[in-house]
Amino acid sequence: MDNVFTVKAISEGDEWRLEILGVPFGSPQDLDSDGQYFDADTALHLDKYPTIPLVYYHGRDPQGKPINPEYIGSAKPLRIDAKGVWWDGLLNKTKELAARVWDAAKDSIARASSGSAPHLVRTDGARITEWPVIEMSVFD
């Protein structure tokens, strides 16, 4: 499992809408690059964070250099299936980095990574048991 996840461009009028697999399910045999995994029992606290910001690349520029976080839209939980937890994202068309993500999503090369607050995260070995999703990073 990789720690960057599926992002799909969804045509809906003139909106830049994304379908985002932000929390993919893994297993002890299917770990992310941090050696951890989410499963269906991971507490994401979706009821406490019903709308979260879309952030460009966890507050980094396109080259990976830390910058002030660029908020480029918002996302709401969409569904849970066998692959994991999906969000419905809406990009802000006035943001240059949102346009980069939109173009990448149309080309099926955009990626996403959910973010939490480190002091609220809990694990049981490699399994992530608590991961309040407070932001969703998307990038090209």
Side-chain angles (χ1 to χ4, degrees):
M1 181 171 72
D2 198 333
N3 65 349
V4 290
F5 313 122
T6 303
V7 178
K8 298 176 186 174
I10 305 297
S11 295
E12 217 172 89
D14 65 346
E15 293 182 331
W16 289 354
R17 190 163 297 282
L18 304 173
E19 189 173 280
I20 304 163
L21 177 58
V23 176
F25 296 152
S27 70
Q29 297 76 37
D30 186 19
L31 305 175
D32 66 17
S33 63
D34 294 322
Q36 299 177 310
Y37 68 96
F38 301 103
D39 64 17
D41 293 323
T42 300
L44 302 175
H45 302 283
L46 302 178
D47 59 322
K48 295 173 184 70
Y49 304 96
T51 302
I52 58 174
L54 288 177
V55 178
Y56 184 82
Y57 195 19
H58 292 300
R60 297 182 177 276
D61 70 11
Q63 290 73 43
K65 179 183 172 191
I67 59 172
N68 287 333
E70 182 74 26
Y71 296 92
I72 61 172
S74 61
K76 296 180 179 188
L78 180 62
R79 71 175 182 278
I80 300 171
D81 64 19
K83 290 183 178 182
V85 185
W86 297 79
W87 274 259
D88 175 27
L90 181 61
L91 291 167
N92 180 338
K93 293 171 78 172
T94 67
K95 301 286 187 169
E96 181 181 329
L97 291 173
R100 287 178 63 112
V101 170
W102 180 245
D103 289 341
K106 291 188 299 183
D107 291 338
S108 301
I109 58 172
R111 298 290 178 256
S113 176
S114 62
S116 191
H119 64 283
L120 299 177
V121 172
R122 301 291 182 270
T123 61
D124 179 11
R127 187 172 82 83
I128 301 169
T129 59
E130 296 273 333
W131 184 265
V133 179
I134 63 170
E135 64 96 2
M136 186 66 60
S137 279
V138 288
F139 45 99
D140 51 330

